[in-house]
Amino acid sequence: MTPSEMKNAILHHLVYTLGKDVSTAHIYDWRMALSFAVRDQIVDPWFGATRRSYAGKLKRVYYLSMEFLIGRLLKDAIINLRLEDAALGAMNDLGLNYEQILEDEPDAALGNGGLGRLAACFMESMSTLACPAMGYGIRYEHGLFRQRFEDGRQVEEPEDWLNQRHAWEFERPEVAIDIGFGGHVQEIGKRANWYPSEMLIAMGHDTPVIGWKGRWGNTLRLWEARPMHGFDLQRFNRGDYAAAAEPEALARTLSRVLYPDDTTEQGKELRLKQEFFFTAASLRDILRRFESEYNDLKRLPQKAAIQMNDTHPAIAGPELVRLLHDERGMDFEEAVGIARNTLSYTNHTLLPEALERWDEGLMGRLLPRHLQLIYRINELHMKDTGSRKVTAVEDGHVKMGELSFIMAHKVNGVSALHTDLMKKTVFKDLHEQHPTRIVNETNGVTPRRWLLSCNPRLSSLITETIGEGWVDNLEQLERLEPHIKDSSFLERFAAAKRANKVDLARWFADDLKISVDPESIFDVQIKRIHEYKRQHMNLLETIAHWLEIRDNPNAGWVPRVKIFGGKAAPGYVFAKEIVRLTNDVAKVLNSDPLTSRYLKVVYPPNYNVSLAERLIPAADLSEQISTAGKEASGTGNMKFALNGALTIGTLDGANVEIRDLVKAENFFLFGMTAEEVMERRKDSGHAAEAIAKDSRLARAIETVRSGRFSPEEPGRYHGIADNLTHHDYFMVCSDFTDFWRAQREVDGAFGKPNWTCMAAYNTARSGWFSSDRTIRGYMADIWNAAPAPEVEDA
Ligand code: 26Y
């Protein structure tokens, strides 16, 4: 497409789709017009892919996920369709600012963090690899809350991305599926009919996901909850307006909000309803499609692979059995076998508080037939394995991890360490019974968004050096290695990083009114705020460093900017205190005339996908400092390494694999191993002991306790200080000393010519962390699916 063709398409949509004249168009109108012009280019390859998967009778992958953290879509589509020149040219021609237009798009924040972003990267990679697939989730009216700071405290505001028209979706009123809850069960022999007492409708909305070079496109189908019966005209006519609207409001509640939590089990009926709602709608849709193509349900596992992203869609097991056994008359044991061969399950956490368990009473009330089937599935499992232990039901609760395991033919962890720990801890017994069921699929990230799109400077340098093949064959980045000896390559590598840092510094100055020196180390920790991720350890090190600079302000310190980003779950008190402490520390440090040249703290509010795209290319140092054994994988860690940041990190999650690949000398390792953590926890005095041995740590904790950062309320951080001194479950104190050492090693290395070599090695050796590699792994080890044949470049 030429710039002038693009311009005509934009003008056409401005007038005929948006009903706006050039003279009255706002930035929103232009952005929508551009989006529609780009979307037009998606439709043909998207239809083409659908036609080919039907015509070729290809096996389809169905990815069921409560979260899809897709962020902005316009730039993604432009890049994958190679329309940059056309779009930029058209915008320039129209006198519009291209960057500004792209920034006008709201983030689709339909997820909390890592799990949701992984699902989004997977959707893009499945399209790039021409793997016939469909993502299923919920079309939340309100995505993850918007974070604002008020006196340093986190304030949550509703997110309302759907206040504006969503340019990318196609409403599918004909894809409307009845979903029931509650009611009673009538048993007929071993089968049963379920008569729900409450009904609503799941309506589909389709968003095309286009792969690299537009070779293939899959669909993300998100369900919206609609009332079965519209509003009550009788009541309305009687003047009872609120009551007339009530059934509608109640039904719609189901797809109203994303649960803003990535930690604790929400004992909430609404969440269980959301889970059943989207899972049941998706399964019905999948079976309908299958039955339109094939007439033998036994072939379901050959033609469909259904992936459960964590346990959130775990009700898929019993629901699929119910559809096959109760509704289609298949023998129970056979139905379980078919369901299991179709389903697989990804585990994303070992933290006990994040493993879902549902009260049997609640489950029985909401899903009476499913609870009966869960008991039978359990009995069958006991019979088959000769086990005497009831696995999926315990203490009046249904354990969704165990249920998912029993109902899946493959269960995967998301990094080598995590998978290993799964076998040894949460699923130890089940693993012994089914030793080949657990497999590892280390996470990955899409290089289109996380390098090509977010870091144009580094991308151009890479393409000029080794050609363009890396974009969908990321391991080609290895070809950069010989150039790391070349001083002109290294200079350009450093210049790209520097320019990214200057851009970020300008944004900090303009948007946050904080000035930072781009010569400083840009030290970044961005992720959800959680005790196990240990933002507070990073803060303690910052405070200790600050105190040391104050003691000796003229010692020639290496300047640093500590950058934090992340949201705390609204009900997670400790995490919210960490948010506030970060802001309070920033206030004191940034205004300290003795030290602020050397040390600043920046905490931009409302961390999201788009902010990550801005921060990661400008980072020198990536903080991956979780307590070993607690972070299942991490994916931010991969994005940083790929963009030439060095990691300071523990042997946790995928850090282990990153360090192996980029080599130990290009990684700042510190801290205890997972085994050492487990061992040390047995010693109840671990925190006190560590504090006694490290005067810097003792002083930093005392400074927090003293009220230095909250003079107007000196006791504000006693909670944090006490937790660290007495409890410290996540071993902040015991790891602090080594963390400090590693940070000083960073100071020593930064600014030296070798730093750029180390950074370039990180980029050159991170190719394995492409989500293309991950998806190939799932296709081979779990889904038994193949890419569509004969896909050529568009
Ligand atoms: C139960 C419910 C409230 C809940 C909701 C969301 C529980 C968990 C979550 C989200 C978990 C999550 O994001 N886990 C992260 O998954 C990433 C992708 O695999 C990992 O990289 C990361 O280590 C893990 O914490």
Side-chain angles (χ1 to χ4, degrees), residues 667-669 740-750 755:
F667 186 108
F668 297 97
L669 177 71
W740 174 274
R741 177 201 53 75
Q743 289 286 21
R744 303 295 68 84
E745 217 179 281
V746 170
D747 285 337
F750 187 74
W755 181 279

Side-chain angles (χ1 to χ4, degrees), residues 708-752:
R708 181 90 168 253
F709 303 109
S710 54
E712 59 293 7
E713 187 193 344
R716 187 177 293 163
Y717 297 116
H718 284 184
I720 293 185
D722 288 346
N723 176 302
L724 287 170
T725 341
H726 302 303
H727 183 53
D728 193 23
Y729 183 77
F730 293 102
M731 302 276 155
V732 166
C733 296
S734 299
D735 267 346
F736 180 89
T737 311
D738 204 30
F739 182 48
W740 174 274
R741 177 201 53 75
Q743 289 286 21
R744 303 295 68 84
E745 217 179 281
V746 170
D747 285 337
F750 187 74
K752 310 254 161 71

Side-chain angles (χ1 to χ4, degrees), residues 409-462:
H409 67 286
K410 291 285 173 197
V411 175
N412 77 288
V414 290
S415 74
L417 175 68
H418 166 64
T419 301
D420 191 47
L421 291 171
M422 269 169 72
K423 293 179 183 171
K424 291 181 179 151
T425 61
V426 271
F427 296 128
K428 184 169 184 292
D429 294 346
L430 284 166
H431 172 59
E432 277 163 16
Q433 290 165 358
H434 306 279
T436 59
R437 194 167 293 183
I438 297 183
V439 295
N440 177 244
E441 301 298 343
T442 298
N443 285 167
V445 303
T446 166
R448 273 70 65 186
R449 182 179 292 255
W450 295 109
L451 183 52
L452 181 63
S453 163
C454 74
N455 198 343
R457 292 187 180 98
L458 182 56
S459 299
S460 306
L461 173 60
I462 295 171

Side-chain angles (χ1 to χ4, degrees), residues 67 114-115 261-262 264 271 312 348 356 443 532 631-634:
E67 307 191 1
L115 169 151
D261 206 326
D262 67 353
T264 51
R271 185 172 163 96
H312 315 154
H348 295 267
E356 288 188 297
N443 285 167
Y532 84 79
E631 188 71 88
S633 162

Side-chain angles (χ1 to χ4, degrees), residues 430-568:
L430 284 166
H431 172 59
E432 277 163 16
Q433 290 165 358
H434 306 279
T436 59
R437 194 167 293 183
I438 297 183
V439 295
N440 177 244
E441 301 298 343
T442 298
N443 285 167
V445 303
T446 166
R448 273 70 65 186
R449 182 179 292 255
W450 295 109
L451 183 52
L452 181 63
S453 163
C454 74
N455 198 343
R457 292 187 180 98
L458 182 56
S459 299
S460 306
L461 173 60
I462 295 171
T463 297
E464 281 163 38
T465 311
I466 61 168
E468 201 190 39
W470 62 273
V471 176
D472 61 347
N473 187 357
L474 199 62
E475 285 175 67
Q476 285 187 12
L477 290 179
E478 277 175 8
R479 298 184 192 167
L480 291 172
E481 277 197 40
H483 299 270
I484 299 178
K485 290 172 196 80
D486 168 5
S487 63
S488 94
F489 173 81
L490 285 174
E491 265 167 43
R492 293 169 73 199
F493 193 95
K497 180 64 78 184
R498 211 200 117 90
N500 291 341
K501 290 170 72 177
V502 169
D503 279 357
L504 183 63
R506 192 168 305 130
W507 184 76
F508 283 164
D510 292 347
D511 275 49
L512 305 174
K513 312 292 171 223
I514 300 177
S515 76
V516 300
D517 178 0
E519 296 297 321
S520 326
I521 304 177
F522 279 19
D523 166 339
V524 188
Q525 187 173 20
I526 44 176
K527 46 185 82 250
R528 286 297 287 259
I529 311 296
H530 203 297
E531 251 183 296
Y532 84 79
K533 297 180 188 277
R534 300 199 293 192
Q535 282 92 355
H536 51 325
M537 184 169 77
N538 196 4
L539 276 176
L540 284 178
E541 189 273 333
T542 307
I543 293 164
H545 189 41
W546 171 65
L547 292 168
E548 209 131 291
I549 301 174
R550 282 184 67 88
D551 290 343
N552 194 356
N554 299 314
W557 304 95
V558 180
R560 256 202 220 224
V561 185
K562 308 258 355 172
I563 300 164
F564 292 85
K567 295 175 182 176

Side-chain angles (χ1 to χ4, degrees), residues 572-588:
Y572 189 171
V573 176
F574 194 85
K576 292 182 111 173
E577 281 177 21
I578 295 172
V579 169
R580 193 171 194 191
L581 177 61
T582 311
N583 281 314
D584 279 345
V585 168
K587 201 160 120 191
V588 172

